């Protein structure tokens, strides 16, 4: 089934590197594309793709979006692997391709018996407050939050490309994380100096986020290897 996945999209930087590491010992691998961070930069990026590009030249193309996410519920601790059922943004809902998602679920379930199908929330900013996370989870019925999912679903559903999303929780809903919204450039890249300053301003929260991210990245690498192993 994984041979039918033509492209993996993953946010640039550490998440992209983790997925690439997970594919090192795999003989047949899909194309892995680093994408901008954030819904607006990703939307711009996708709409600038050439029409004969690698995403659209397969009549049965399948795109898998991978990466990290934040938890909105105590049910999803750091390191938890989640497979999206759907994703909401500003009251609009996009659903992942059901057959593709079911096949991924079956492929991973034997290796991860605690695998959950979740409702994702895409945010145009970093949700850094634990209280806000829990509130969003309760009011919207969402389980996890990311910054790219809805943009990918909206774009590819419009052009007839099947999309599934697999993420790993990097920060829980019990602790605040540093506000990193301002460190994301308009092009979706992370600005190094503002990032360092943001982390220094909240050292305890930063330390917790770094530990959680490292744990989640290791899981992301492992689940990539499992999914695409021969």
């Amino acid at each position: 089934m994984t041979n039918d996945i033509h492209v993996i999209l993953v946010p640039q930087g550490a998440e992209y590197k983790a997925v690439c590491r997970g594919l090192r010992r795999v003989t047949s691998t899909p194309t892995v594309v680093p994408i901008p961070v954030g819904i607006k930069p990703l939307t711009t990026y996708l709409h600038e793709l050439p029409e004969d590009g690698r995403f659209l030249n397969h009549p049965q193309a399948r795109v898998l979006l991978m990466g990290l996410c934040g938890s909105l519920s105590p049910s999803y601790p750091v390191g938890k692997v989640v497979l999206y059922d759907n994703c909401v943004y500003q009251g609009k809902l996009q659903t992942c391709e059901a057959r593709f998602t079911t096949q991924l679920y079956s492929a991973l379930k034997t290796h991860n018996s605690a695998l959950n199908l979740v409702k994702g929330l895409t945010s145009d900013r970093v949700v850094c407050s634990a209280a806000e996370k829990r509130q969003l989870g309760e009011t919207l019925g969402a389980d996890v939050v990311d910054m790219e999912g809805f943009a990918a679903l909206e774009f590819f559903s419009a052009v007839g490309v099947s999309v599934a999303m697999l993420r790993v929780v990097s920060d829980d809903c019990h602790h605040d994380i540093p506000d990193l919204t301002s460190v994301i450039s308009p092009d979706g890249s992370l600005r190094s100096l503002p990032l360092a300053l943001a982390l220094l301003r909240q050292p305890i929260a930063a330390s917790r986020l770094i530990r959680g991210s490292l744990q989640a990245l290791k899981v992301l690498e492992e689940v990539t290897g499992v999914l695409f192993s021969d």
Side-chain angles (χ1 to χ4, degrees):
M1 189 280 298
T2 51
N3 291 333
D4 296 333
I5 298 174
H6 301 100
V7 177
I8 298 175
L9 300 182
V10 58
Q12 61 190 334
E15 294 162 85
Y16 171 75
K17 292 175 183 176
V19 169
C20 290
R21 286 195 301 270
L23 292 171
R24 278 178 183 168
R25 291 179 291 278
V26 178
T27 52
S28 178
T29 62
T31 302
V32 187
V33 181
I35 59 173
V37 175
I39 185 168
K40 292 178 181 177
L42 178 57
T43 298
T44 300
Y45 170 83
L46 291 173
H47 281 279
E48 290 176 351
L49 290 172
E51 288 189 11
D52 60 348
R54 55 196 153 191
F55 301 106
L56 311 178
N57 56 5
H58 293 278
Q60 301 297 323
R62 286 179 157 188
V63 172
L64 176 61
L65 181 62
M66 301 184 75
L68 305 183
C69 61
S71 173
L72 302 178
S73 163
S75 300
Y76 301 94
V78 171
K80 180 82 168 175
V81 179
V82 296
L83 189 60
Y84 280 45
D85 183 29
N86 52 48
C87 194
V88 65
Y89 173 69
Q90 294 185 350
K92 295 179 289 184
L93 182 75
Q94 288 283 348
T95 303
C96 296
E97 207 277 316
R99 185 166 177 266
F100 186 11
T101 299
T102 300
Q103 290 174 330
L104 284 172
Y105 185 86
S106 298
L108 289 168
K109 188 67 174 176
T110 53
H111 299 278
N112 191 327
S113 59
L115 183 67
N116 288 94
L117 283 174
V118 299
K119 178 178 182 177
L121 165 68
T122 295
S123 174
D124 51 16
R125 60 183 175 81
V126 176
V127 183
C128 53
S129 159
E132 185 183 9
K133 283 188 183 184
R134 292 192 298 271
Q135 182 185 31
L136 287 170
E138 291 166 4
T139 57
L140 299 177
D143 303 300
V144 295
V145 60
D146 66 52
M147 297 184 70
E148 302 85 22
F150 187 90
L153 284 174
E154 185 174 53
F155 175 81
F156 287 113
S157 66
V159 295
V161 173
S162 296
V163 180
M165 290 197 281
L166 181 69
R167 289 187 181 259
V168 180
V169 175
S170 60
D171 52 283
D172 63 32
C173 68
H174 302 293
H175 302 93
D176 294 348
I177 61 172
D179 187 354
L180 303 181
T181 301
S182 63
V183 312
I184 302 172
S185 299
D187 66 358
S189 60
L190 299 181
R191 299 186 293 164
S192 300
L193 182 57
L195 174 59
L197 292 173
L199 295 177
L200 285 171
R201 278 194 290 269
Q202 295 175 270
I204 296 174
S207 176
R208 187 179 293 113
L209 176 63
I210 291 168
R211 285 198 309 272
S213 296
L214 290 173
Q215 179 183 341
L217 288 168
K218 184 64 177 174
V219 175
L220 182 63
E221 177 184 340
E222 291 169 354
V223 76
T224 302
V226 166
L227 185 59
F228 290 92
S229 60
D230 298 326

